[in-house]
Amino acid sequence: MSRVTIQPSGKSVEVAAGDTVLMALEKAGYALPNNCRAGACGECKVKVLAGEYDQGMVLDMALSHEERCDGFGLMCMAKPTTDELVIEWGTADARPKLFPPRENALFVVTDKRPVAARAIELHLRPVGQPIRYWPGQYVTVGDPCGGVPARAYSISNAPRPDGELVLQVARADGGLTSAWIHDRLAVGESIKISGAYGTFIGDPAVDTPVLCLAAGTGLAPILALTEAALRRGFRKPVMLLLSARTREDAYAQGLMAWWRTKHRNFDYRVTLTREQAEGFLHGRVDAVLPGLLPNLARHTVFAAGSPEFTASCVETAKALGAGADMIYTEGFFAMQQPTVADREHLLPHP
């Protein structure tokens, strides 16, 4: 069995007999960009730093003679012929290279539905090429020509072949963009999307139990990360804890229940901070988490919500033994300045 080592992170994955490098990386959780999987598009092109491999049949338009001489190869067809193959991809912490964001990509609203007391869900389909993104990233939505500033909304679904994006938008007090989306944007209308942005993607090869913490529509990127992990066959335990003010603010419970039934390693809890109800925990995350998972020394932790919420999650996780380098956060800011960092879709902090 051969081994592929990824630089600069230095992490390695085993390559089963007959597998391509792309297949081995995907099995280990590394979603190397690809498209045709047949040596024709060039999307999975990386530089090979050491080792030998059988490149197989690929098109010159996807991998030129000059690129071969410079050490590049197409991983969708490459099969190692030496014990180790070293490639250059990702970053020092093993995160993948981000896709270049696109501006003003045209999408059509195919569905719009309420999901919580103050939140709706938008389903958007691309008219042209889909936006490429990693689970956990976000896009910006607005209508600058109509006086609606662009605001950032996390994508709540893992990438799909048809390029559909699902966004969950909470009505923000005084928020022009969320009011436009809630009250005026209709199914069948075209809108322009920019992105994807953000680095809340974690380590794609994490091999530890995972704890996901979310408040309000901070659940959106957590859902995308969880869906992607479960879809690729992640085997370690995954616990998702959602904090909401009331039962009306807690959404996606049907989806999470389905995941729990389908995937034995997944479980979830909902904690309510402003009411008590049967079947729900009660209290803020810092109060309920110690009783749920008292030892996080071996866990990777993802937390998304308001800055106050994520700060509390980090403090609590560290107190329970989680390492600082194993905690990933995404803090949403309910601001009125039209910057990429804005998160107008945040539900009120529980």
Side-chain angles (χ1 to χ4, degrees):
M1 182 178 289
S2 298
R3 180 176 67 252
V4 173
T5 298
I6 308 164
Q7 295 295 359
S9 70
K11 294 198 174 183
S12 296
V13 302
E14 300 294 330
V15 186
D19 280 358
T20 64
V21 173
L22 174 61
M23 293 168 64
L25 291 174
E26 289 178 332
K27 289 179 180 179
Y30 292 92
L32 182 71
N34 68 92
N35 192 347
C36 71
R37 306 180 73 90
C41 72
E43 288 281 341
C44 63
K45 187 185 306 174
V46 300
K47 190 164 188 176
V48 179
L49 303 177
E52 303 293 332
Y53 59 100
D54 179 359
Q55 179 59 91
M57 297 293 293
V58 302
L59 299 183
D60 289 341
M61 60 180 285
L63 184 67
S64 68
H65 175 72
E66 291 76 14
E67 289 172 327
R68 293 175 190 246
C69 293
D70 289 339
F72 288 90
L74 300 185
M75 298 301 99
C76 69
M77 300 295 288
K79 295 181 179 181
T81 57
T82 52
D83 290 341
E84 183 178 33
L85 193 69
V86 183
I87 66 172
E88 184 180 57
W89 183 70
T91 60
D93 59 2
R95 294 186 182 184
K97 295 177 181 178
L98 301 178
F99 298 112
R102 292 171 54 198
E103 293 186 0
N104 298 320
L106 188 62
F107 280 72
V108 172
V109 181
T110 58
D111 196 11
K112 176 182 176 181
R113 65 185 75 162
V115 292
R118 292 170 57 89
I120 62 170
E121 185 173 86
L122 288 179
H123 289 245
L124 310 171
R125 290 285 183 93
V127 175
Q129 289 294 317
I131 284 179
R132 304 200 69 180
Y133 67 95
W134 297 102
Q137 288 193 291
Y138 62 90
V139 294
T140 60
V141 183
D143 182 17
C145 295
V148 180
R151 289 290 183 261
Y153 299 98
S154 293
I155 304 167
S156 70
N157 62 298
R160 299 174 184 174
D162 60 10
E164 180 180 64
L165 302 182
V166 180
L167 309 180
Q168 290 151 358
V169 182
R171 184 185 292 275
D173 294 333
L176 295 177
T177 306
S178 64
W180 169 69
I181 292 173
H182 274 250
D183 301 333
R184 294 161 48 194
L185 186 63
V187 171
E189 290 190 24
S190 297
I191 62 172
K192 291 184 177 180
I193 305 293
S194 295
Y197 307 108
T199 58
F200 185 59
I201 55 179
D203 183 340
V206 63
D207 192 32
T208 69
V210 171
L211 170 64
C212 295
L213 305 170
T217 44
L219 182 60
I222 294 295
L223 290 178
L225 288 164
T226 304
E227 178 189 351
L230 295 176
R231 195 168 68 184
R232 68 174 171 80
F234 184 73
R235 298 298 182 189
K236 298 291 184 178
V238 178
M239 169 60 73
L240 195 162
L241 177 60
L242 172 63
S243 178
R245 287 183 170 185
T246 68
R247 285 172 292 180
E248 290 185 343
D249 296 316
Y251 66 95
Q253 294 182 70
L255 175 62
M256 292 186 289
W258 179 73
W259 281 344
R260 180 166 61 188
T261 302
K262 182 177 176 64
H263 304 279
R264 294 184 177 180
N265 61 320
F266 175 79
D267 200 2
Y268 76 97
R269 297 287 191 277
V270 178
T271 184
L272 305 178
T273 61
R274 302 224 175 155
E275 71 175 7
Q276 297 189 40
E278 185 177 354
F280 295 85
L281 300 175
H282 176 68
R284 295 179 181 271
V285 167
D286 56 354
V288 302
L289 187 56
L292 190 63
L293 289 171
N295 186 351
L296 297 178
R298 298 181 180 275
H299 280 70
T300 299
V301 180
F302 295 88
S306 70
E308 296 79 12
F309 174 80
T310 57
S312 176
C313 289
V314 170
E315 182 180 357
T316 304
K318 287 182 177 179
L320 296 176
D325 60 337
M326 299 298 284
I327 302 174
Y328 302 87
T329 63
E330 180 78 313
F332 295 168
F333 294 84
M335 301 171 62
Q336 298 307 311
Q337 300 300 319
T339 65
V340 167
D342 288 352
R343 288 293 196 281
E344 196 188 66
H345 67 312
L346 178 65
L347 282 174
H349 178 53

